[in-house]
Amino acid sequence: MATRNLSDYNSATVPDASNMIFGIVVAEWNPDITGALLQGCVTTLEKHGALPENIHVKTVPGSFELIYGAHQMTLNDGYDAVIILGSVIRGETPHFDYICQGVTAGIARLNATNNIPVVYGLLTTDTLEQAQDRAGGRLGNKGDECAVVAIKMAKF
């Protein structure tokens, strides 16, 4: 459970992003959630100086494909950071566990083997309400948090 609002952060600690280029890979599955995550992410990147033309968004069908999409973006030397955004909501089968574990391991592998940070923005929730709470609802927007992390990691 989130213990703080995902959109709360100290703006003074975020570097200027005006000279940075970001790749964002968004899953099409659960589009109301992933669309809200994307909106929060882009708004926050721009708030910290990223130019709209330096924010490149690609979509993939589902959350598992986020790994491939992020990997393809890391092959392009022009990105300072890549952000993945997706939402997996627990169902009645173990599919949830396999997808969440696979995406987590895949993104961790990309971070360990590439020179471009890949920011993990996959919501893994038990209910639609929990996802909505984290996609602009009462717990803020994970997209905001991912944008701040991407800026900080690009500066790292």
Side-chain angles (χ1 to χ4, degrees), residues 92-107:
E92 296 177 357
T93 69
H95 180 73
F96 171 91
D97 298 314
Y98 300 135
I99 296 299
C100 295
Q101 290 171 3
V103 175
T104 300
I107 298 305

Side-chain angles (χ1 to χ4, degrees), residues 118-129:
V118 179
V119 176
Y120 184 89
L122 180 68
L123 292 180
T124 57
T125 60
D126 289 325
T127 66
L128 176 59
E129 181 182 3

Side-chain angles (χ1 to χ4, degrees), residues 3-96:
T3 57
R4 65 175 181 85
N5 187 307
L6 298 165
S7 298
D8 286 344
Y9 61 92
N10 180 352
S11 292
T13 66
V14 182
D16 176 40
S18 60
N19 292 321
M20 297 179 183
I21 301 173
F22 299 95
I24 304 173
V25 186
V26 184
E28 294 172 338
W29 196 258
N30 294 323
D32 292 343
I33 301 300
T34 60
L37 295 173
L38 177 61
Q39 181 179 355
C41 185
V42 169
T43 299
T44 300
L45 289 172
E46 290 177 351
K47 174 182 172 183
H48 293 287
L51 301 174
E53 60 268 22
N54 289 340
I55 302 170
H56 304 162
V57 178
K58 299 282 187 178
T59 60
V60 293
S63 291
F64 197 77
E65 292 78 25
L66 291 166
I67 304 164
Y68 177 83
H71 177 66
Q72 292 304 307
M73 284 191 157
T74 64
L75 296 175
N76 176 345
D77 292 333
Y79 293 111
D80 294 293
V82 174
I83 302 163
I84 63 124
L85 299 172
S87 173
V88 183
I89 300 170
R90 187 177 300 276
E92 296 177 357
T93 69
H95 180 73
F96 171 91

Side-chain angles (χ1 to χ4, degrees), residues 128-143:
L128 176 59
E129 181 182 3
Q130 290 172 340
Q132 291 167 333
D133 286 346
R134 291 157 177 79
R138 69 180 182 87
L139 295 174
N141 191 318
K142 180 74 172 174

